[in-house]
Amino acid sequence: MPVPSRTRTILLTGAAGGLGTLMRELLPQYGYELRLLDVRPIEDAPDAIVADLNDTDALREAVRGVDGVLHLAGISLESTFDKILDSNIRGTYHLYEAVREEAAARADGTGPRVVFASSNHAIGYTPRPRVEDGAPLVPVTTPHRPDTYYGLSKSFGEDLAQLAWDKHGIETVSVRIGSCFKEPTDVRMMSVWMSPADGARLFHAALTAEKVGHTVVYGSSANTRLWWDLSSARALGYEPRDDSEAYAEKLLAEHGPLSDDNPAHQYMGGRFVNDPPIWPY
């Protein structure tokens, strides 16, 4: 397993969430020292920073001296516009402001790189490609077509990352994550699934690749039923090793194949286009 030539300190926001918990376990294997931040306390991490993304003083201290930021915090399902605005849009803006201020305070003017957890829901209304019929994979240049306020916030985050690079020289890799769970839970997810181990590989590549500017990549494993183009992720040095096809027999027996009569199977966003899961808080 490749490790950085020196220990790198990474701020991990959203460290108490599902994906954050997985990365807390996996990323230290790559030689990272993690500084954790979440709005909720983390039982096994008493030194974690407990703060909201709109606490600008806490964010400024959190980014002080770090080499990179893995930004996973925010609402991860659909919610009201006001809640999405406060957490995902204003919160991400405040994070980038803290990174900009940190860069300005450093002698070389270079701030920490950001790896931004974007989502396939930024292009959720893009029709799923019929790759089984020879259709091409969906490229990262696909225009934003968000399926929810949540997807809209991820479109905003990508655009903010581009502005931060063009205007302030802050590097970002925006990772359009599909579904990162230990196993895929339905047939559709087999096309967008990213194993936790591959997630750690991709985040490591995004944190260490040279001269990324603002790069958009899709985040998934090397799935046989893959819908999108992983070439920009591979260009960072990402080498996915897992494939959801190992779960195909079980999932097809439970759920049957994808159906064009089901709106959740017609678009990249799945059920977010017609029956989005709602943030419970």
Side-chain angles (χ1 to χ4, degrees), residues 129-137:
R130 301 312 201 263
V131 293
E132 63 274 14
D133 297 328
L137 298 173

Side-chain angles (χ1 to χ4, degrees), residues 31 133 144 239 275:
D133 297 328
H144 290 157
E239 296 181 2
D275 184 27

Side-chain angles (χ1 to χ4, degrees), residues 1-15:
M1 177 182 298
V3 297
S5 58
R6 62 177 178 84
T7 300
R8 294 173 182 255
T9 300
I10 302 300
L11 173 63
L12 174 60
T13 73

Side-chain angles (χ1 to χ4, degrees), residues 8-248:
R8 294 173 182 255
T9 300
I10 302 300
L11 173 63
L12 174 60
T13 73
L19 183 53
T21 298
L22 292 169
M23 292 306 111
R24 279 162 41 206
E25 298 171 356
L26 292 168
L27 284 177
Q29 301 173 28
Y30 288 84
Y32 295 108
E33 180 178 315
L34 301 181
R35 184 180 297 173
L36 308 179
L37 182 146
D38 201 283
V39 71
R40 296 175 293 169
I42 303 172
E43 289 186 5
D44 58 349
D47 295 332
I49 301 165
V50 180
D52 186 270
L53 289 173
N54 293 307
D55 185 338
T56 56
D57 291 337
L59 278 180
R60 180 67 188 90
E61 286 301 312
V63 302
R64 194 179 303 280
V66 301
D67 299 290
V69 178
L70 177 53
H71 182 41
L72 306 180
I75 292 173
S76 59
L77 302 172
E78 179 62 320
S79 188
T80 65
F81 179 75
D82 285 342
K83 288 181 179 180
I84 293 288
L85 175 65
D86 192 48
S87 178
N88 293 19
I89 296 177
R90 286 199 178 102
T92 300
Y93 164 75
H94 288 144
L95 175 69
Y96 271 95
E97 280 296 285
V99 170
R100 182 186 62 78
E101 291 173 2
E102 174 67 7
R106 295 183 182 180
D108 63 359
T110 301
R113 177 178 298 177
V114 179
V115 177
F116 169 62
S118 186
S119 171
N120 60 298
H121 298 293
I123 58 163
Y125 268 109
T126 301
R128 70 173 174 90
R130 301 312 201 263
V131 293
E132 63 274 14
D133 297 328
L137 298 173
V138 174
V140 294
T141 54
T142 298
H144 290 157
R145 293 185 66 178
D147 50 29
T148 46
Y149 294 137
Y150 167 71
L152 182 66
S153 74
K154 296 306 181 180
S155 299
F156 168 83
E158 291 185 13
D159 288 344
L160 181 62
Q162 186 65 55
L163 176 64
W165 167 243
D166 290 335
K167 196 172 188 68
H168 303 297
I170 297 168
E171 290 195 312
T172 299
V173 177
S174 293
V175 183
R176 290 178 181 167
I177 300 170
S179 298
C180 189
F181 299 103
K182 291 184 178 180
E183 297 182 6
T185 58
D186 58 36
V187 175
R188 178 194 166 276
M189 193 183 293
M190 290 174 61
S191 296
V192 298
W193 177 67
M194 181 169 67
S195 72
D198 278 341
R201 292 183 188 104
L202 177 52
F203 292 143
H204 172 60
L207 287 163
T208 56
E210 295 185 3
K211 298 179 180 179
V212 299
H214 175 225
T215 299
V216 180
V217 304
Y218 288 115
S220 72
S221 291
N223 302 316
T224 297
R225 300 167 191 250
L226 188 67
W227 285 347
W228 49 44
D229 183 1
L230 293 180
S231 61
S232 62
R234 292 181 184 275
L236 300 176
Y238 174 50
E239 296 181 2
R241 299 180 185 175
D242 297 319
D243 185 345
S244 62
E245 201 64 20
Y247 306 96

